[in-house]
Every structure is written in structure tokens, then in C-alpha cells.
Amino acid sequence: MRAFTLDSFDSRPGLREDLPTPEVGPGQLLVRVRASSVNPVDAFIAGGVLKGMVEHEFPVVLGRDYAGVVEQAGLAVTGYAVGDEVFGFLPHAGPEVHDGTWAELILVSQDRSVARRPASADPAAAGAAPLAAITALAAYDALDLGKGATVLVVGASGGVGSFAVQLAAAAGATVLAPGCPKTTTTCAASGPPRSSTATATSPPRCVSATPTGSTPWPTSPPGRRTC
Ligand SMILES: NC(=O)c1ccc[n+]([C@@H]2O[C@H](COP(=O)([O-])OP(=O)(O)OC[C@H]3O[C@@H](n4cnc5c(N)ncnc54)[C@H](OP(=O)(O)O)[C@@H]3O)[C@@H](O)[C@H]2O)c1
């Protein structure tokens, strides 16, 4: 089986073709991966940044998100069958850093880290959404936005920020999404999500990173960069 792995802290990540096909446990699904993503944590693991913080079991397969098709279902699996289109993510450690989704075949537990892929979501989108979306959801839940709230989303054009913008807009908040001119176009086009439960009344407000007299940007934003 092919997978993209980190084989030691002293080597660079690379493609291997000699990994054994994972054996399915009773409550597990064997999923053939069709799409995945690159999140900051993948770069951290690939660069050995978690060394000393979490145990690593080499070879470490990189990648967290996935979308794919169930190839085998364990004997105790009830909710999924061979051929089902699924998506989800693997935690970065379980408890060692070892499993990842940049592989042809992965094992997932039917009880967590897996859901059916809606027909309306294409595999590439489903294979990139989970971790960034869950991160944005966690932040959104923690904010507990009240009616009439105004939210500043820094990094609004990124994986996490693009979900945060949509969640806050759907909650009816005024969303300020500063970004470089090239990305404010993307932000303005994204608007509130097309969800049946969305209550958004206005699209997010996207402002350029170059402040003008009328933008709500502070006069001396810390760490401002040149676009
Ligand atoms: N993705 C995840 O699953 C996840 C999970 C947990 C935590 N996080 C953390 O959440 C943060 C965002 O992650 P992400 O996946 O959304 O990253 P990303 O897709 O690379 O997006 C990064 C965002 O930050 C903006 N940005 C980059 N440099 C900036 C600067 N100097 N000043 C202001 N804005 C800047 C980018 O704007 P431009 O597009 O204009 O460059 C972009 O909007 C990171 O700190 C990451 O470690 C991410």
C-alpha cells in the first residue's frame, strides 16, 4: 500500500509503497481514500515539531482529513456497508502520532471520526473540510454569539477562517473579515452559507488590509503585513 510517511525525526517525509494493507477490526471500516487536505498540523508533524510533546510510532502516516469509499466493514459494524461514501478526520495522536490519511487505505472506527458524505458535497471538498471546520465550530461555540454581535475574523480567507466567517454570518453577526485585496474578493463572494437553518441577514463585511478612513481597522494593527 502507498502512503506518505515520516519515517524518523532525521529524515524527510516521502512516499512509500511497501506498507501493509491495514487489517480491519470488528468495529472498524477500511476506507479507500479519494481526497485529503493539508492543514498546519501536517506541517508540524512532518517537521518533527511535536517531538518531545507526544510519542511517535514510526512510520508516521501524515494527513488528517479524508473522504473516500468503504472497502471493508468489520463484523461488528452496523451503520456502514461496503461502497458507502464517507468522510471524516483522524486525530493527530491516538495516543501516539502514527495514523494518518495520506494513504491509499485507512482504518477508522465506526463510532467516531466518520460520517456519510452528503451527495451534495464533492469528495475534494469533503476531504478538506473536517478539521478546519471543527476548529471553527469550536471557536464559534466558545464565543456564544449574542444577537447583534460583531465578530472580527483574522485569517478569514484561510481554512478555519472561511468556516468561521460563514458560521458567524449565519448566526446573524456582523462579520469583519480583514484581508489582502486579492482575498477580500473571495470573502465577499462566499457570503453566508446556503444552509436551510441559516438565519444570516447580511453577507460578511470584507475589508482590505490597507486601512482607509472608513474601515473599522485599528490605526496601528499589531503585526500587520504587506500584501
Ligand atoms: N486548519 C486546521 O485544522 C487548524 C486546526 C487547529 C488550529 N489551526 C490554527 O488556525 C490558524 C489558521 O489555520 P488555517 O488552516 O486556516 O491556515 P490557512 O488556511 O493557511 O490560513 C491562514 C490565514 O491567515 C492569513 N494570514 C497569514 N499570514 C498572516 C499575517 N501575517 N497577518 C494576518 N493574516 C495572515 C492568511 O491570509 P492570506 O490568504 O491573505 O494569506 C489566511 O487567511 C493557524 O494558526 C493554525 O495553526 C488550524
Side-chain angles (χ1 to χ4, degrees):
M1 179 189 80
R2 290 186 301 170
F4 205 81
T5 65
L6 178 71
D7 294 341
S8 77
F9 289 122
D10 302 320
S11 60
R12 296 168 69 90
L15 183 67
R16 284 180 64 156
E17 309 211 349
D18 60 348
L19 292 184
T21 299
E23 289 188 18
V24 188
Q28 290 181 316
L29 304 170
L30 183 68
V31 175
R32 183 165 291 277
V33 176
R34 294 176 63 186
S36 184
S37 66
V38 181
N39 283 302
V41 69
D42 301 315
F44 296 157
I45 294 173
V49 174
L50 303 189
K51 180 181 180 181
M53 295 184 229
V54 195
E55 289 294 318
H56 288 60
E57 185 186 331
F58 294 109
V60 168
V61 179
L62 300 173
R64 307 269 55 93
D65 294 326
Y66 72 89
V69 182
V70 176
E71 184 132 322
Q72 274 181 49
L75 291 174
V77 170
T78 51
Y80 297 91
V82 172
D84 283 351
E85 297 271 359
V86 293
F87 76 122
F89 77 98
L90 297 180
H92 74 278
E96 296 86 14
V97 180
H98 177 63
D99 293 323
T101 58
W102 295 354
E104 285 180 292
L105 293 160
I106 61 169
L107 288 178
V108 299
S109 165
Q110 71 158 347
D111 298 327
R112 62 191 178 110
S113 311
V114 64
R116 289 181 191 285
R117 176 172 67 80
S120 58
D122 71 67
L131 194 53
I134 282 171
T135 304
L137 262 175
Y140 169 79
D141 287 345
L143 283 174
D144 193 20
L145 296 175
K147 200 172 161 67
T150 297
V151 183
L152 172 67
V153 180
V154 177
S157 60
V160 177
S162 56
F163 282 107
V165 165
Q166 295 178 73
L167 288 166
T174 298
V175 182
L176 303 178
C180 294
K182 67 179 168 59
T183 51
T184 51
T185 311
T186 312
C187 166
S190 71
R194 294 188 202 96
S195 156
S196 57
T197 56
T199 56
T201 53
S202 60
R205 182 174 173 190
C206 307
V207 295
S208 167
T210 307
T212 68
S214 60
T215 64
W217 191 280
T219 46
S220 301
R224 202 177 101 225
R225 61 176 170 162
T226 305
C227 292

